[in-house]
Amino acid sequence: MDDDELLRASRLWSRDAETGERGFTLAAALLVGSDDLIFDVAPAYRTEALLRRTDLDRHDDRVTVQTNLIDAYDQLVAFGEKWLPDSFALDGVQRVSPRSVIVRELVSNTLMHREYSSPYMAKLEIGRGYLSTRNASRSAYAHPVTLDNLDPTPKNPVIASFFSQIGRSERLGSGTRKLYKYSRLYAGADPKLTDGDFFEAMVPVPDAMPMLPDKAGRAETPGRARRERELDEIVALVSRVGKASSSGISSELGIQARTLTRRLNELVEGGVIVRDGKGPMTRYRLPQ
């Protein structure tokens, strides 16, 4: 398809039932419009992503996203994946990343099913042991959302259909089921979902050492990023198995012994994990 055919097929170009005029819909502006156009037609639209792990009164990191929904999805997913540990899990015999699935489901839901006429700014927040989202909704009544009462009715069907066609979301209803499934794999607990004037989601996540920005304001380098990722992976693994030996951690995560020793010492000295035993019987665990 050329651009015009794509927009018509996606219902982004339509006819106004009252005036008979044809033109782009609000969904078109939000999905593929320029930042200036989006601000003109939906000035209240923006999403704030926050990290609150050490500074609970304010934030440790913050990103405000006010761009088209395609780019907004990528920016918000990147923020979530940056600050959450990517723990190992098996779905049957296949290795999966519960973190990535959870982040993508919550972000797509926040962008697809919100009430864009509301002045409320949608939020994605990562805190100690949780990932949450909150956005304006328009449900008839407030109620918890469970697998038993799931009502897969899209708030914005054109946007939801477009996201599904480009692979940014699952078909209606399956995303919530996947969220429950991978939340159990990730943290061993169910998410909490509530719909009403606001749609709120809270997913438990493994608590991990915060990857805070360098105090000197230095740009993140590949070495620093790798170190932070390895620290998070170690904490996530120890959290999942209870106690772990250095050889077990090295085998599971593929970290070389010398590097792993430095990472373990750093975590122990920081009080993030505890070292029990000596020699071959040394085990690492989270503090009580």
Side-chain angles (χ1 to χ4, degrees), residues 9 16 20 37 40 50 54 60 94 105 134 147 190 195 281:
D16 188 293
L37 173 62
D40 288 340
L50 295 170
T54 56
D60 301 308
Q94 183 178 6
E105 288 299 330
R134 191 173 196 260
L147 294 178
D190 287 339
D195 202 1
M281 301 303 296

Side-chain angles (χ1 to χ4, degrees), residues 90-96 181 185:
L90 285 175
D91 184 2
V93 296
Q94 183 178 6
R95 178 168 180 162
V96 294
K181 176 181 179 180
L185 285 175

Side-chain angles (χ1 to χ4, degrees), residues 8-9 27 30 57 78 82 98 116 118 130 136 161 202 256:
R8 293 176 189 276
L30 290 169
D57 294 329
K82 173 184 178 181
Y116 282 98
S118 170
Y130 71 89
S161 176
M202 195 287 292
Q256 294 183 355

Side-chain angles (χ1 to χ4, degrees), residues 175-248:
T176 302
R177 294 184 178 89
K178 181 177 283 189
L179 190 61
Y180 267 82
K181 176 181 179 180
Y182 282 88
S183 179
R184 293 165 183 169
L185 285 175
Y186 196 44
D190 287 339
K192 295 181 180 179
L193 313 175
T194 305
D195 202 1
D197 291 336
F198 298 94
F199 183 87
E200 298 176 276
M202 195 287 292
V203 177
V205 299
D207 204 1
M209 183 176 181
M211 299 182 296
L212 300 181
D214 186 273
K215 292 183 179 179
R218 293 174 297 190
E220 185 176 73
T221 64
R224 286 188 62 230
R226 183 173 61 252
R227 166 188 165 274
E228 292 167 347
R229 184 181 67 252
E230 289 170 347
L231 291 172
D232 264 354
E233 289 176 345
I234 293 169
V235 174
L237 175 61
V238 172
S239 175
R240 187 175 72 253
V241 303
K243 286 188 176 183
S245 65
S246 59
S247 60

Side-chain angles (χ1 to χ4, degrees), residues 51-60 125-128 130:
L51 173 72
R52 283 198 175 105
R53 280 188 182 151
T54 56
D55 190 344
L56 302 184
D57 294 329
R58 298 184 62 196
H59 53 267
D60 301 308
E125 183 173 309
I126 299 172
R128 293 178 179 175
Y130 71 89

